[in-house]
Amino acid sequence: MSATPQKNRASRRVLAAAAGLATVGALVAAMPADAQNRDQGQGQHESAHTVDVQLLSFNDLHGNLEPPAGSAGTVTEKQADGTTKAIPAGGVEYLASSLRAARKGHPYSITAAGGDMVGASPLLSGLFHDEPTIEALNKIDLDVTAVGNHEFDEGATELARLQNGGCHPVEGCYEKGKTFQGADFPYLAANVTNEKTGKPILKPYTVWKKDGVKIGFIGVTLEGTPNIVTANGVKGLKFHDEIETVNKYAKELDQQGVKSIVALIHEGGAPASSSYNYDCDSPGAGDGISGPIVDIAKGISPKVDALVTGHTHQAYVCTVPDPAGNPRLVTSASSFGKLYTDTTLTYDRRTKDIVRTSVTSSNSSNPVSANHIVTRDQPRATDMTALIARWNTLAAPIANRPQGYISADINGRGSAAFEKPLGNLIADAQLEGLAPADKGGAVVAFMNPGGIRADLVYKSTGSEGDGVVTYGESFTVQPFTNMMNVVDLTGAQLISALQQQVSGSNEASPKILQVSKGLTYTLDMTKTGAARVVVDTIKLNGAAIDPAKTYRVAMNEFLAGGGDGFAALGQGTNKLVGPSDLDLFNAYLSAHSSAAAPLAPPATDRITVIQ
């Protein structure tokens, strides 16, 4: 959920390399028929007029073909004694095996996804504009997905190429004699229209059919996509309200005789527990789920029978009543392919509708819907192993190049703290690279937390050796290749930007900017809104910020455009465009580390937090 590169990002990336991968969660919604309608069957329950349809689902894969490293590659499991355990998970070799095993004995099986299949991807996929991920999803037999915000990282034209095929307009075909075929599953974008024509840029819905069973799928992304994608990525597009759009097309499907409908929504929520096997429907105080998806679910027409969601990278299987008060499943499967959801949709051939019940506990012997771990102790799918090896061969000359050395894990994505060690490192790299007068004269740098896509992991991920940071690993941390900007901002605007971290659109879910060394302040989370930032504690190199003074501030182009709700950062003047964020990051690693003197995780002492 962060900045995205402009369309020529890969060209920059390859040139830079020559000169010098959060979930796909698998989501499954299951809905059983009434007990009296159940017969024994091959892994299904049917009567003369009902059939159980298996819905396997996942979300937020983000091109993670190889198992994600470090904490980003684990899921939290609650144990019987109440403790939790981190379990390694993910990787398409295992996701493919899990889905294929789950389908056995289920003649009616659909695999759907909740968006962000690509974008912010590790180098193995991102270097090739995510063609490897689309190829993998084709082999996995994905039936349908919604678009997510990251599908717009490179704009609507590139998204259309991922759907329809054809070699990249700048870089051409990556393999001799092979033309990229595109996705053989539909990308659904019901609430994304062309500003000029008013028509959806891709199909708004699709209908899955087998032996008279018909289930409609409507796909939408979050209405706020333009706020979290660079301007070039959404140029010429309009994003509409999720509820209104889904209801519009649910009515249209209903009029066509399609009574069973699933909404794929790239928006999500936060369950009360981070454990994937948390019982979201437990009645305790503070239990359940919060966030945007709750109001969306409550507003979507009862014609829709289940909601597969994403975006927040959380794991949940919850019941949220529809507007008629009937139970309806809302599911999400973490990210990076670490989970999949298995849901049973019991289809009544007489009404052509789904027999809906509330979800039973994930701990039940017969849950309607549950999340399952994509474990790494199962056999790998050999076709995925071959796919990864093929693309790795093409990427290796760039991916394996050492950039620097670290003495221990430096956590970014895997850190739950407001101030992240890797965030400090990235901000320091940006400040150092842009501080010289001829480079912009920056005195402070800001990094958006959502742009940090991974951790720097000490343990070797290949043959490079422990502690070695390769280009592929640094790219995985900063895959957007955003160009850096240095602008003039007043002290008053700086203060406003810090306040916008915890107020306005960011109040419910704060987005704490990572700051370069020298900037310090106190964040009082016992207060509300802008008051959470204790203004008189804000100092730069020990001196209080002067509201009337002008400061040169470094940030990526996404933040400089006011992204993530930081309108104050979008007010900068006298802009100088510098190198990419990735170039500065790699330059810093090279300048500040060696095999004999590796870089240690930086201290996190810039933001004092009062809880």
Side-chain angles (χ1 to χ4, degrees):
M1 308 175 290
S2 90
T4 62
Q6 296 177 349
K7 285 180 63 181
N8 60 347
R9 69 172 182 179
S11 303
R12 300 177 191 152
R13 167 189 320 148
V14 175
L15 289 171
L21 311 209
T23 65
V24 109
L27 226 131
V28 183
M31 306 198 127
D34 296 328
Q36 66 265 30
N37 288 338
R38 296 188 175 223
D39 288 336
Q40 274 83 35
Q42 263 194 314
Q44 63 180 17
H45 300 285
E46 294 186 36
S47 72
H49 56 265
T50 65
V51 57
D52 280 0
V53 178
Q54 180 189 56
L55 175 61
L56 301 174
S57 54
F58 57 94
N59 51 279
D60 296 275
L61 181 59
H62 290 289
N64 278 263
L65 300 178
E66 296 176 299
S71 58
T74 64
V75 294
T76 302
E77 181 179 70
K78 185 178 180 181
Q79 307 297 297
D81 63 1
T83 60
T84 59
K85 181 180 180 182
I87 300 177
V92 294
E93 294 162 292
Y94 305 111
L95 178 61
S97 292
S98 291
L99 295 176
R100 289 163 182 170
R103 291 176 188 138
K104 289 180 180 177
H106 294 274
Y108 296 85
S109 183
I110 310 168
T111 303
D116 275 6
M117 294 297 96
V118 301
S121 306
L123 185 129
L124 177 61
S125 185
L127 186 65
F128 306 106
H129 294 272
D130 285 310
E131 289 181 21
T133 296
I134 297 297
E135 181 185 344
L137 293 171
N138 287 344
K139 290 178 181 292
I140 283 175
D141 293 325
L142 181 64
D143 289 299
V144 59
T145 184
V147 294
N149 54 289
H150 281 284
E151 263 81 20
F152 295 92
D153 282 357
E154 297 186 56
T157 301
E158 174 63 6
L159 174 56
R161 187 183 76 88
L162 292 180
Q163 177 71 86
N164 301 319
C167 296
H168 193 268
V170 175
E171 297 178 25
C173 301
Y174 293 112
E175 296 178 288
K176 189 174 182 180
K178 286 188 180 181
T179 299
F180 175 58
Q181 296 300 302
D184 61 17
F185 51 88
Y187 259 113
L188 303 181
N191 68 329
V192 187
T193 58
N194 182 296
E195 281 185 344
K196 291 182 179 178
T197 67
K199 295 180 180 179
I201 62 167
L202 293 169
K203 292 175 65 172
Y205 59 80
T206 191
V207 180
W208 181 91
K209 301 175 183 177
K210 182 175 181 179
D211 298 337
V213 175
K214 294 191 294 185
I215 299 179
F217 288 84
I218 304 167
V220 298
T221 188
L222 71 157
E223 183 182 10
T225 292
N227 299 323
I228 52 176
V229 173
T230 51
N232 272 13
V234 295
K235 188 175 182 179
L237 305 178
K238 187 170 177 59
F239 292 76
H240 302 268
D241 181 81
E242 304 95 335
I243 298 172
E244 292 175 7
T245 302
V246 171
N247 289 350
K248 170 187 173 180
Y249 288 110
K251 184 177 180 181
E252 190 171 310
L253 282 167
D254 184 65
Q255 290 171 343
Q256 295 174 13
V258 179
K259 307 296 183 182
S260 299
I261 302 171
V262 175
L264 308 175
I265 304 175
H266 192 70
E267 179 60 288
S273 167
S274 61
S275 297
Y276 84 93
N277 54 342
Y278 163 66
D279 180 2
C280 191
D281 289 349
S282 55
D287 277 332
I289 185 173
S290 60
I293 198 61
V294 178
D295 287 337
I296 291 173
K298 289 178 178 177
I300 284 179
S301 166
K303 295 181 190 300
V304 176
D305 297 294
L307 278 59
V308 170
T309 72
H311 188 57
T312 58
H313 292 202
Q314 301 295 308
Y316 49 83
V317 176
C318 306
T319 303
V320 179
D322 69 17
N326 297 317
R328 182 165 57 190
L329 278 171
V330 179
T331 68
S332 175
S334 185
S335 63
F336 300 169
K338 295 182 289 189
L339 296 176
Y340 70 92
T341 313
D342 194 335
T343 303
T344 303
L345 302 170
T346 297
Y347 184 90
D348 189 323
R349 291 186 181 273
R350 296 171 304 182
T351 64
K352 300 181 181 178
D353 208 349
I354 299 300
V355 180
R356 273 205 255 151
T357 65
S358 60
V359 61
T360 55
S361 168
S362 297
N363 299 319
S364 164
S365 60
N366 185 30
V368 172
S369 180
N371 277 321
H372 301 275
I373 302 179
V374 176
T375 60
R376 298 182 194 168
D377 57 2
Q378 62 182 311
R380 303 181 187 190
T382 55
D383 57 338
M384 294 296 152
T385 303
L387 181 151
I388 289 170
R390 201 179 88 240
W391 287 101
N392 261 332
T393 299
L394 293 174
I398 293 172
N400 296 337
R401 187 172 300 150
Q403 301 299 312
Y405 303 83
I406 56 176
S407 63
D409 288 357
I410 304 180
N411 287 335
R413 194 76 180 182
S415 170
F418 285 152
E419 183 183 353
K420 307 173 192 304
L422 189 50
N424 286 356
L425 177 61
I426 291 170
D428 287 350
Q430 294 176 353
L431 177 61
E432 180 170 295
L434 299 172
D438 61 340
K439 302 295 184 184
V443 295
V444 65
F446 291 135
M447 175 63 193
N448 54 308
I452 306 169
R453 305 304 299 185
D455 302 333
L456 279 185
V457 179
Y458 176 78
K459 185 176 175 56
S460 174
T461 56
S463 59
E464 76 274 14
D466 292 347
V468 180
V469 180
T470 64
Y471 184 88
E473 290 167 336
S474 63
F475 180 95
T476 299
V477 169
Q478 293 208 277
F480 297 112
T481 323
N482 277 310
M483 302 312 288
M484 292 300 301
N485 290 182
V486 184
V487 299
D488 283 348
L489 288 172
T490 66
Q493 289 168 327
L494 277 182
I495 293 168
S496 291
L498 294 176
Q499 292 172 328
Q500 286 165 0
Q501 300 176 113
V502 288
S503 63
S505 61
N506 293 331
E507 179 161 7
S509 182
K511 290 186 173 71
I512 305 303
L513 295 165
Q514 306 300 287
V515 299
S516 56
K517 59 185 175 184
L519 185 71
T520 56
Y521 70 97
T522 296
L523 202 55
D524 187 349
M525 297 306 292
T526 66
K527 294 186 166 65
T528 59
R532 290 167 165 172
V533 175
V534 184
V535 173
D536 60 9
T537 66
I538 305 172
K539 295 182 179 180
L540 182 59
N541 299 320
I545 292 289
D546 181 351
K549 185 179 176 181
T550 297
Y551 298 84
R552 292 291 282 167
V553 183
M555 67 194 91
N556 60 45
E557 60 191 329
F558 171 67
L559 282 178
D564 267 354
F566 292 101
L569 296 182
Q571 296 168 358
T573 58
N574 297 324
K575 179 172 73 175
L576 183 145
V577 178
S580 75
D581 50 10
L582 181 60
D583 287 342
L584 292 181
F585 186 49
N586 283 331
Y588 189 88
L589 289 171
S590 176
H592 292 273
S593 67
S594 65
L599 194 65
T604 50
D605 54 4
R606 301 170 190 182
I607 306 172
T608 301
V609 181
I610 301 172
Q611 298 280 18

